[in-house]
């Protein structure tokens, strides 16, 4: 997969893209990520990328031509019709795990980062396929959202998390929160690891994990259980959780 980020501040991305799993994924050619600066697509002497808003008002608006040319350039470079041009915008579709999976299915993603008071709306109308929001708050630019989307999308690509593909085991992959994890030592400060995890009984461990996944969801994010069709086994486990939570 190829991810093109259109941003006036390419240096902001060197940290997140240059470390850990995203770095390894790029080194292994599982993803190709490139940041393109619209300022490199200005032809005037001062490389102007923003201007005053028509109709008046405070702040500056990003001019359409540099963004248009930057997108055109990366679209031509990828030469794939299987692409999505996505605008980072608080008014967009909510970004969640389902959206990450959807975006991971494209050969090319073009993430457009606005800055200042926003971008000329003709870009949104004519160039952008969809706007996406990472949450109901306003940031100073689309750069942090683009990093978040790159991260969440990249880890859906087979091989990015390693050989034993972890994304399938995620909380949210099956719609519930993750069960608790433990590692050595077995006892720390007098705090013990749950006995069942040391039992070696894999069926018992699987049932415990499923139940604790349901418990975490019921306690912390009950909204995720609304309108969900549970298997008979999950219904039984959730009933146990509910009586235990009521009692303790
Ligand atoms: N929230 N989700 C967001 C954002 C900043 C428009 C220029 C968000 O995705 N993007 O806050 N983006 C933009 C907002 C003006 C800065």
């Amino acid at each position: 997969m190829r991810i093109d980020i259109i941003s006036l501040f390419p240096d902001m991305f060197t940290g997140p893209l240059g470390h850990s799993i995203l770095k390894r994924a790029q080194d292994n050619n599982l993803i190709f990520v490139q940041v393109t600066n619209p300022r490199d697509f200005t032809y005037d002497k001062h490389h102007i990328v923003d201007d005053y808003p028509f109709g008046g008002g405070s702040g500056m608006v990003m001019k359409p031509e540099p963004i248009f040319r930057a997108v055109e350039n990366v679209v031509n470079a990828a030469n794939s019709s299987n692409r999505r041009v996505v605008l980072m915008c608080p008014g967009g579709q909510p970004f969640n795990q389902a959206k990450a999976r959807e975006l991971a299915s494209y050969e090319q993603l073009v993430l457009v980062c606005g800055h200042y008071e926003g971008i000329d709306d003709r870009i949104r109308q004519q160039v952008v396929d969809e706007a996406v929001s990472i949450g109901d708050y306003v940031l100073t630019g689309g750069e942090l959202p683009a990093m978040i989307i790159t991260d969440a999308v990249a880890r859906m690509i087979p091989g990015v998390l390693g050989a034993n593909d972890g994304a399938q085991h995620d909380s949210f992959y099956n719609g519930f929160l993750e069960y608790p994890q433990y590692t050595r030592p077995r006892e720390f400060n007098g705090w013990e690891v749950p006995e069942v995890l040391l039992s070696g009984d894999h069926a018992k461990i699987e049932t415990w994990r499923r139940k604790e996944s349901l418990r975490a969801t019921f306690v912390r994010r009950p909204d995720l259980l609304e309108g969900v069709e549970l298997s008979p086994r999950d219904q039984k486990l959730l009933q146990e959780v509910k009586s235990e939570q009521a009692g303790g």
Side-chain angles (χ1 to χ4, degrees), residues 88-90 114-118 132-135 137-142 145:
M88 309 298 108
C89 174
H115 224 92
Y116 313 115
E117 298 306 303
V132 161
S133 167
I134 64 158
Y137 37 78
V138 183
L139 302 168
T140 58

Side-chain angles (χ1 to χ4, degrees), residues 18-37:
H19 291 93
S20 183
I21 293 168
L22 291 185
K23 175 172 165 35
R24 189 181 64 199
Q26 291 171 92
D27 291 346
N28 295 342
N29 297 318
L30 295 168
I31 53 166
F32 173 82
V33 189
Q34 189 167 275
V35 189
T36 298
N37 191 341

